[in-house]
Amino acid sequence: MIRRFIAWFRNQSREVQVMIIMIPVLLLAILLNLGRVWEGVSKGFSYFRK
């Protein structure tokens, strides 16, 4: 299964390979800084309460 995934991954274009790698990295960064993300979201929505 891993060999099939590696073969599929190598057949993708360079842009798709970068996206496949960056999406989990972005999700991991969001999870590690969830407090800051939630603070920013709540401040953003507080703008509409004014």
Side-chain angles (χ1 to χ4, degrees):
M1 184 174 152
I2 293 174
R3 289 182 186 168
R4 262 194 269 166
F5 177 75
I6 291 172
W8 172 80
F9 183 78
R10 287 186 179 161
N11 288 333
Q12 301 301 320
S13 67
R14 179 59 72 188
E15 294 84 12
V16 174
Q17 288 178 353
V18 170
M19 284 178 52
I20 291 171
I21 293 171
M22 291 304 293
I23 288 172
V25 171
L26 176 64
L27 291 175
L28 180 64
I30 289 172
L31 287 175
L32 290 176
N33 293 315
L34 196 55
R36 282 186 173 175
V37 171
W38 184 251
E39 182 181 333
V41 168
S42 62
K43 282 184 181 180
F45 279 111
S46 70
Y47 173 79
F48 295 109
R49 292 187 198 141
K50 293 181 181 180

